[in-house]
mmCIF file of all heavy atoms in Angstrom:
data_model
loop_
_atom_site.group_PDB
_atom_site.id
_atom_site.type_symbol
_atom_site.label_atom_id
_atom_site.label_comp_id
_atom_site.label_asym_id
_atom_site.label_seq_id
_atom_site.Cartn_x
_atom_site.Cartn_y
_atom_site.Cartn_z
ATOM 1 N N GLU A 1338 0.828 -1.213 0.000
ATOM 2 C CA GLU A 1338 0.000 0.000 0.000
ATOM 3 C C GLU A 1338 0.862 1.263 0.000
ATOM 4 O O GLU A 1338 0.454 2.309 -0.498
ATOM 5 C CB GLU A 1338 -0.911 0.016 1.243
ATOM 6 C CG GLU A 1338 -1.733 1.272 1.401
ATOM 7 C CD GLU A 1338 -2.567 1.297 2.661
ATOM 8 O OE1 GLU A 1338 -2.810 0.227 3.265
ATOM 9 O OE2 GLU A 1338 -2.974 2.401 3.057
ATOM 10 N N TYR A 1339 2.074 1.160 0.538
ATOM 11 C CA TYR A 1339 2.951 2.326 0.660
ATOM 12 C C TYR A 1339 4.042 2.367 -0.414
ATOM 13 O O TYR A 1339 5.009 3.099 -0.281
ATOM 14 C CB TYR A 1339 3.561 2.367 2.067
ATOM 15 C CG TYR A 1339 2.487 2.451 3.120
ATOM 16 C CD1 TYR A 1339 2.104 1.323 3.849
ATOM 17 C CD2 TYR A 1339 1.813 3.642 3.350
ATOM 18 C CE1 TYR A 1339 1.105 1.390 4.800
ATOM 19 C CE2 TYR A 1339 0.791 3.712 4.298
ATOM 20 C CZ TYR A 1339 0.449 2.583 5.014
ATOM 21 O OH TYR A 1339 -0.552 2.657 5.941
ATOM 22 N N MET A 1340 3.865 1.580 -1.471
ATOM 23 C CA MET A 1340 4.803 1.579 -2.603
ATOM 24 C C MET A 1340 4.222 2.459 -3.706
ATOM 25 O O MET A 1340 3.023 2.440 -3.946
ATOM 26 C CB MET A 1340 4.989 0.165 -3.147
ATOM 27 C CG MET A 1340 5.406 -0.870 -2.136
ATOM 28 S SD MET A 1340 7.154 -0.990 -1.823
ATOM 29 C CE MET A 1340 7.811 -1.417 -3.377
ATOM 30 N N ASP A 1341 5.082 3.207 -4.381
ATOM 31 C CA ASP A 1341 4.590 3.992 -5.515
ATOM 32 C C ASP A 1341 4.846 3.233 -6.819
ATOM 33 O O ASP A 1341 5.390 2.119 -6.817
ATOM 34 C CB ASP A 1341 5.164 5.405 -5.537
ATOM 35 C CG ASP A 1341 6.678 5.455 -5.804
ATOM 36 O OD1 ASP A 1341 7.245 4.490 -6.356
ATOM 37 O OD2 ASP A 1341 7.291 6.488 -5.461
ATOM 38 N N GLU A 1342 4.454 3.837 -7.920
ATOM 39 C CA GLU A 1342 4.556 3.171 -9.229
ATOM 40 C C GLU A 1342 5.995 2.896 -9.657
ATOM 41 O O GLU A 1342 6.251 2.059 -10.511
ATOM 42 C CB GLU A 1342 3.811 3.977 -10.304
ATOM 43 C CG GLU A 1342 4.300 5.394 -10.523
ATOM 44 C CD GLU A 1342 3.820 6.400 -9.466
ATOM 45 O OE1 GLU A 1342 2.895 6.086 -8.699
ATOM 46 O OE2 GLU A 1342 4.404 7.499 -9.423
ATOM 47 N N THR A 1343 6.966 3.581 -9.030
ATOM 48 C CA THR A 1343 8.370 3.339 -9.382
ATOM 49 C C THR A 1343 9.008 2.268 -8.497
ATOM 50 O O THR A 1343 10.169 1.941 -8.666
ATOM 51 C CB THR A 1343 9.200 4.641 -9.253
ATOM 52 O OG1 THR A 1343 9.291 5.006 -7.871
ATOM 53 C CG2 THR A 1343 8.600 5.773 -10.070
ATOM 54 N N GLY A 1344 8.235 1.752 -7.524
ATOM 55 C CA GLY A 1344 8.756 0.739 -6.624
ATOM 56 C C GLY A 1344 9.368 1.305 -5.353
ATOM 57 O O GLY A 1344 9.937 0.560 -4.555
ATOM 58 N N LYS A 1345 9.258 2.632 -5.139
ATOM 59 C CA LYS A 1345 9.794 3.238 -3.917
ATOM 60 C C LYS A 1345 8.813 3.025 -2.771
ATOM 61 O O LYS A 1345 7.607 3.222 -2.917
ATOM 62 C CB LYS A 1345 10.033 4.735 -4.115
ATOM 63 C CG LYS A 1345 10.611 5.395 -2.884
ATOM 64 C CD LYS A 1345 10.909 6.866 -3.084
ATOM 65 C CE LYS A 1345 11.451 7.410 -1.760
ATOM 66 N NZ LYS A 1345 11.754 8.816 -1.836
ATOM 67 N N PHE A 1346 9.362 2.636 -1.624
ATOM 68 C CA PHE A 1346 8.558 2.435 -0.425
ATOM 69 C C PHE A 1346 8.545 3.731 0.376
ATOM 70 O O PHE A 1346 9.584 4.294 0.686
ATOM 71 C CB PHE A 1346 9.153 1.298 0.420
ATOM 72 C CG PHE A 1346 8.358 0.977 1.652
ATOM 73 C CD1 PHE A 1346 7.074 0.469 1.549
ATOM 74 C CD2 PHE A 1346 8.893 1.182 2.901
ATOM 75 C CE1 PHE A 1346 6.336 0.163 2.689
ATOM 76 C CE2 PHE A 1346 8.172 0.873 4.048
ATOM 77 C CZ PHE A 1346 6.880 0.366 3.939
ATOM 78 N N HIS A 1347 7.361 4.210 0.729
ATOM 79 C CA HIS A 1347 7.198 5.489 1.436
ATOM 80 C C HIS A 1347 6.897 5.240 2.918
ATOM 81 O O HIS A 1347 5.770 5.432 3.371
ATOM 82 C CB HIS A 1347 6.106 6.326 0.765
ATOM 83 C CG HIS A 1347 6.474 6.758 -0.604
ATOM 84 N ND1 HIS A 1347 7.176 7.915 -0.860
ATOM 85 C CD2 HIS A 1347 6.272 6.157 -1.802
ATOM 86 C CE1 HIS A 1347 7.382 8.033 -2.163
ATOM 87 N NE2 HIS A 1347 6.848 6.976 -2.754
ATOM 88 N N LEU A 1348 7.909 4.845 3.664
ATOM 89 C CA LEU A 1348 7.762 4.532 5.074
ATOM 90 C C LEU A 1348 7.198 5.711 5.861
ATOM 91 O O LEU A 1348 6.368 5.545 6.748
ATOM 92 C CB LEU A 1348 9.111 4.106 5.670
ATOM 93 C CG LEU A 1348 9.117 3.774 7.161
ATOM 94 C CD1 LEU A 1348 8.197 2.600 7.466
ATOM 95 C CD2 LEU A 1348 10.530 3.492 7.640
ATOM 96 N N ASN A 1349 7.633 6.911 5.529
ATOM 97 C CA ASN A 1349 7.210 8.079 6.303
ATOM 98 C C ASN A 1349 5.771 8.493 6.036
ATOM 99 O O ASN A 1349 5.273 9.417 6.672
ATOM 100 C CB ASN A 1349 8.171 9.241 6.083
ATOM 101 C CG ASN A 1349 9.537 8.934 6.678
ATOM 102 O OD1 ASN A 1349 9.634 8.294 7.723
ATOM 103 N ND2 ASN A 1349 10.580 9.353 6.009
ATOM 104 N N ASP A 1350 5.081 7.801 5.134
ATOM 105 C CA ASP A 1350 3.657 8.046 4.903
ATOM 106 C C ASP A 1350 2.779 7.122 5.751
ATOM 107 O O ASP A 1350 1.562 7.194 5.677
ATOM 108 C CB ASP A 1350 3.303 7.845 3.423
ATOM 109 C CG ASP A 1350 3.919 8.907 2.534
ATOM 110 O OD1 ASP A 1350 4.363 9.956 3.048
ATOM 111 O OD2 ASP A 1350 3.962 8.699 1.306
ATOM 112 N N THR A 1351 3.372 6.257 6.554
ATOM 113 C CA THR A 1351 2.612 5.262 7.310
ATOM 114 C C THR A 1351 2.112 5.766 8.663
ATOM 115 O O THR A 1351 1.406 5.054 9.350
ATOM 116 C CB THR A 1351 3.457 3.992 7.548
ATOM 117 O OG1 THR A 1351 4.564 4.324 8.403
ATOM 118 C CG2 THR A 1351 3.954 3.388 6.249
ATOM 119 N N GLU A 1352 2.484 6.974 9.048
ATOM 120 C CA GLU A 1352 2.148 7.531 10.362
ATOM 121 C C GLU A 1352 2.729 6.676 11.489
ATOM 122 O O GLU A 1352 2.033 6.229 12.394
ATOM 123 C CB GLU A 1352 0.641 7.721 10.541
ATOM 124 C CG GLU A 1352 0.033 8.727 9.606
ATOM 125 C CD GLU A 1352 -1.416 9.041 9.917
ATOM 126 O OE1 GLU A 1352 -2.235 8.102 9.981
ATOM 127 O OE2 GLU A 1352 -1.703 10.229 10.134
ATOM 128 N N LEU A 1353 4.045 6.458 11.410
ATOM 129 C CA LEU A 1353 4.730 5.684 12.444
ATOM 130 C C LEU A 1353 4.527 6.316 13.814
ATOM 131 O O LEU A 1353 4.486 7.537 13.959
ATOM 132 C CB LEU A 1353 6.227 5.599 12.154
ATOM 133 C CG LEU A 1353 6.631 4.697 11.002
ATOM 134 C CD1 LEU A 1353 8.120 4.839 10.728
ATOM 135 C CD2 LEU A 1353 6.275 3.251 11.285
ATOM 136 N N MET A 1354 4.411 5.457 14.812
ATOM 137 C CA MET A 1354 4.189 5.890 16.180
ATOM 138 C C MET A 1354 5.472 5.716 16.975
ATOM 139 O O MET A 1354 6.253 4.801 16.720
ATOM 140 C CB MET A 1354 3.054 5.053 16.771
ATOM 141 C CG MET A 1354 2.604 5.479 18.148
ATOM 142 S SD MET A 1354 3.364 4.526 19.445
ATOM 143 C CE MET A 1354 2.466 3.006 19.317
ATOM 144 N N THR A 1355 5.677 6.595 17.925
ATOM 145 C CA THR A 1355 6.833 6.523 18.809
ATOM 146 C C THR A 1355 6.378 6.669 20.258
ATOM 147 O O THR A 1355 5.249 7.099 20.520
ATOM 148 C CB THR A 1355 7.880 7.607 18.436
ATOM 149 O OG1 THR A 1355 9.067 7.401 19.178
ATOM 150 C CG2 THR A 1355 7.344 9.000 18.674
ATOM 151 N N TYR A 1356 7.258 6.307 21.173
ATOM 152 C CA TYR A 1356 6.956 6.337 22.605
ATOM 153 C C TYR A 1356 7.945 7.267 23.278
ATOM 154 O O TYR A 1356 9.151 7.187 23.026
ATOM 155 C CB TYR A 1356 7.094 4.918 23.148
ATOM 156 C CG TYR A 1356 6.843 4.760 24.618
ATOM 157 C CD1 TYR A 1356 5.546 4.682 25.112
ATOM 158 C CD2 TYR A 1356 7.904 4.645 25.509
ATOM 159 C CE1 TYR A 1356 5.313 4.504 26.470
ATOM 160 C CE2 TYR A 1356 7.679 4.458 26.865
ATOM 161 C CZ TYR A 1356 6.375 4.388 27.338
ATOM 162 O OH TYR A 1356 6.152 4.206 28.674
ATOM 163 N N SER A 1357 7.440 8.165 24.116
ATOM 164 C CA SER A 1357 8.322 9.080 24.818
ATOM 165 C C SER A 1357 7.804 9.350 26.216
ATOM 166 O O SER A 1357 6.715 9.914 26.384
ATOM 167 C CB SER A 1357 8.446 10.407 24.054
ATOM 168 O OG SER A 1357 9.342 11.280 24.711
ATOM 169 N N HIS A 1358 8.560 8.896 27.195
ATOM 170 C CA HIS A 1358 8.301 9.194 28.604
ATOM 171 C C HIS A 1358 6.859 8.869 29.005
ATOM 172 O O HIS A 1358 6.152 9.674 29.588
ATOM 173 C CB HIS A 1358 8.647 10.659 28.877
ATOM 174 C CG HIS A 1358 8.955 10.951 30.313
ATOM 175 N ND1 HIS A 1358 9.989 10.352 30.996
ATOM 176 C CD2 HIS A 1358 8.366 11.776 31.192
ATOM 177 C CE1 HIS A 1358 10.015 10.804 32.229
ATOM 178 N NE2 HIS A 1358 9.038 11.663 32.381
ATOM 179 N N GLY A 1359 6.401 7.669 28.614
ATOM 180 C CA GLY A 1359 5.081 7.198 29.009
ATOM 181 C C GLY A 1359 3.941 7.598 28.101
ATOM 182 O O GLY A 1359 2.780 7.315 28.404
ATOM 183 N N GLU A 1360 4.242 8.237 26.973
ATOM 184 C CA GLU A 1360 3.189 8.686 26.053
ATOM 185 C C GLU A 1360 3.526 8.285 24.616
ATOM 186 O O GLU A 1360 4.688 8.131 24.263
ATOM 187 C CB GLU A 1360 3.027 10.206 26.141
ATOM 188 C CG GLU A 1360 2.633 10.683 27.529
ATOM 189 C CD GLU A 1360 2.554 12.196 27.635
ATOM 190 O OE1 GLU A 1360 3.525 12.869 27.240
ATOM 191 O OE2 GLU A 1360 1.514 12.690 28.091
ATOM 192 N N TYR A 1361 2.476 8.140 23.810
ATOM 193 C CA TYR A 1361 2.632 7.780 22.401
ATOM 194 C C TYR A 1361 2.460 9.017 21.520
ATOM 195 O O TYR A 1361 1.591 9.851 21.780
ATOM 196 C CB TYR A 1361 1.578 6.742 21.997
ATOM 197 C CG TYR A 1361 1.587 5.499 22.859
ATOM 198 C CD1 TYR A 1361 0.586 5.271 23.795
ATOM 199 C CD2 TYR A 1361 2.602 4.558 22.741
ATOM 200 C CE1 TYR A 1361 0.580 4.138 24.589
ATOM 201 C CE2 TYR A 1361 2.611 3.417 23.535
ATOM 202 C CZ TYR A 1361 1.595 3.215 24.460
ATOM 203 O OH TYR A 1361 1.608 2.093 25.242
ATOM 204 N N PHE A 1362 3.269 9.096 20.464
ATOM 205 C CA PHE A 1362 3.207 10.207 19.522
ATOM 206 C C PHE A 1362 3.307 9.672 18.110
ATOM 207 O O PHE A 1362 3.952 8.648 17.867
ATOM 208 C CB PHE A 1362 4.364 11.188 19.755
ATOM 209 C CG PHE A 1362 4.310 11.860 21.097
ATOM 210 C CD1 PHE A 1362 4.923 11.290 22.197
ATOM 211 C CD2 PHE A 1362 3.626 13.052 21.259
ATOM 212 C CE1 PHE A 1362 4.864 11.887 23.449
ATOM 213 C CE2 PHE A 1362 3.560 13.673 22.504
ATOM 214 C CZ PHE A 1362 4.182 13.089 23.604
ATOM 215 N N VAL A 1363 2.707 10.371 17.172
ATOM 216 C CA VAL A 1363 2.851 10.016 15.767
ATOM 217 C C VAL A 1363 3.940 10.914 15.178
ATOM 218 O O VAL A 1363 4.028 12.106 15.506
ATOM 219 C CB VAL A 1363 1.506 10.151 15.002
ATOM 220 C CG1 VAL A 1363 1.052 11.591 14.902
ATOM 221 C CG2 VAL A 1363 1.607 9.531 13.619
ATOM 222 N N LEU A 1364 4.787 10.334 14.352
ATOM 223 C CA LEU A 1364 5.814 11.133 13.683
ATOM 224 C C LEU A 1364 5.143 12.017 12.649
ATOM 225 O O LEU A 1364 4.167 11.621 12.025
ATOM 226 C CB LEU A 1364 6.848 10.226 13.016
ATOM 227 C CG LEU A 1364 7.666 9.353 13.957
ATOM 228 C CD1 LEU A 1364 8.651 8.500 13.169
ATOM 229 C CD2 LEU A 1364 8.414 10.198 14.973
ATOM 230 N N GLY A 1365 5.664 13.193 12.439
ATOM 231 C CA GLY A 1365 4.988 14.087 11.521
ATOM 232 C C GLY A 1365 5.898 15.010 10.748
ATOM 233 O O GLY A 1365 6.314 14.714 9.651
ATOM 234 N N GLU A 1366 6.242 16.119 11.319
ATOM 235 C CA GLU A 1366 6.925 17.184 10.601
ATOM 236 C C GLU A 1366 8.356 16.805 10.221
ATOM 237 O O GLU A 1366 9.174 16.442 11.066
ATOM 238 C CB GLU A 1366 6.952 18.439 11.485
ATOM 239 C CG GLU A 1366 7.596 19.617 10.830
ATOM 240 C CD GLU A 1366 7.677 20.830 11.761
ATOM 241 O OE1 GLU A 1366 7.181 20.749 12.911
ATOM 242 O OE2 GLU A 1366 8.245 21.834 11.336
ATOM 243 N N LYS A 1367 8.662 16.927 8.943
ATOM 244 C CA LYS A 1367 10.014 16.681 8.452
ATOM 245 C C LYS A 1367 10.858 17.927 8.719
ATOM 246 O O LYS A 1367 10.458 19.040 8.389
ATOM 247 C CB LYS A 1367 9.978 16.384 6.952
ATOM 248 C CG LYS A 1367 11.338 16.145 6.341
ATOM 249 C CD LYS A 1367 11.211 15.847 4.855
ATOM 250 C CE LYS A 1367 12.546 15.755 4.187
ATOM 251 N NZ LYS A 1367 12.409 15.501 2.746
ATOM 252 N N LEU A 1368 12.009 17.733 9.331
ATOM 253 C CA LEU A 1368 12.882 18.848 9.685
ATOM 254 C C LEU A 1368 14.107 18.965 8.784
ATOM 255 O O LEU A 1368 14.747 20.000 8.756
ATOM 256 C CB LEU A 1368 13.355 18.688 11.139
ATOM 257 C CG LEU A 1368 12.242 18.614 12.184
ATOM 258 C CD1 LEU A 1368 12.839 18.351 13.559
ATOM 259 C CD2 LEU A 1368 11.422 19.886 12.180
#
């Protein structure tokens, strides 16, 4: 579902979740 027509995998489009100090966050803004 996260592959484009060129075969590139778009991991950062999956809304990966992270854990920080007892709370969950979704990754978002590219810096």
